[in-house]
Each structure stands twice: as C-alpha cells, then as structure tokens.
Amino acid sequence: MMNIEDYREYCLSLGADIEEKLPFQKFKNGEGVLVFYVSGHMFSFFDCNDFSVISLKCQPDRIEDLKTQYECVGNPYNESPKHWIGINPKTAPADLLKELTRNSYEIVKAKYKKSRSDDFNPHS
C-alpha cells in the first residue's frame, strides 16, 4: 500500500521528462485531479481528494488477466477500459502499483517517441 505522497514521489522518480499538473481545475469534480505526463501525454492520474483509483495506461491484452488476478485492479476513471486500468492504491501491493505505473510510463513514452520519429523522415 502506498500513500499519496509516496506515490507522487515514485511517479516523479521515473524520469527527468515527467511533468505533474492539475489540468482540470475548471471542471466540476476535476479540480483535485493530479496528472503525470511524459512527453506531454498522460500516463497516470488520480483525484487528490479521493485517492481510491489511480488510472494507468496498460496493454489491452494484459487488462483482463490483471482484473482476474488482483481485486485491486478494475476500470479506470473517465478513460477507455480498453487501454486503461484503475488500481486502488489503498489495497494494492506497493510492488504491483509501482510495476503497473512504470509500465504505463513506458507505454506512453515509447508511443510518443515512435510517433515523433515516424513524423520525421529526412528522405521524404
């Protein structure tokens, strides 16, 4: 189990390219949502006022297995359950939460780098 401060520190420790923001302050029920970004794209977010679900990017082929294997893994908050999972930080083992958070960070970072390199073709 990780508390909100420990989880925030862990997210920031994943790389120098991470930003944290509260981007939904203009929306009702969104003012306390803290989002972690890599290369300008979200990889983790949660409501600071209700630290019961952390939404993380995940490989679609892993999602059902994770939900079956762990009670703490369920649907994400306000994202597609095809590409995102929700994990309860109050019941999740810390090592699982860290692994799934790092996985989310790596997915988003790799996708961003891949799409950026696809855009740049010096031979076209």
Side-chain angles (χ1 to χ4, degrees):
M1 186 175 112
M2 291 182 84
N3 66 35
I4 197 167
E5 292 86 8
D6 291 341
Y7 184 73
R8 177 182 170 269
E9 283 181 30
Y10 179 73
C11 286
L12 293 172
S13 77
L14 292 171
D17 52 354
I18 293 174
E19 289 183 276
E20 63 177 332
K21 296 179 187 174
L22 293 162
F24 306 115
Q25 293 191 354
K26 292 179 181 160
F27 298 98
K28 186 177 180 195
N29 300 326
E31 51 279 321
V33 176
L34 181 61
V35 181
F36 292 90
Y37 297 86
V38 58
S39 303
H41 293 76
M42 295 191 302
F43 73 90
S44 175
F45 66 92
F46 58 84
D47 187 340
C48 294
N49 301 315
D50 176 19
F51 191 54
S52 62
V53 177
I54 298 171
S55 295
L56 300 167
K57 198 94 164 157
C58 190
Q59 294 87 346
D61 60 346
R62 286 188 70 194
I63 292 175
E64 282 311 310
D65 287 343
L66 286 166
K67 286 181 180 179
T68 302
Q69 196 173 355
Y70 301 101
E71 282 186 34
C72 59
V73 177
N75 288 331
Y77 176 76
N78 219 20
E79 285 294 339
S80 167
K82 184 177 177 185
H83 297 281
W84 290 79
I85 56 171
I87 186 166
N88 184 337
K90 295 175 181 170
T91 60
D95 59 339
L96 177 66
L97 182 54
K98 286 180 177 182
E99 188 268 316
L100 293 173
T101 300
R102 176 171 285 286
N103 181 58
S104 180
Y105 166 77
E106 297 291 345
I107 290 170
V108 175
K109 186 171 181 164
K111 181 177 180 184
Y112 179 78
K113 280 190 169 183
K114 183 177 181 211
S115 67
R116 294 292 293 174
S117 63
D118 289 348
D119 292 344
F120 179 72
N121 184 347
H123 304 292
S124 60

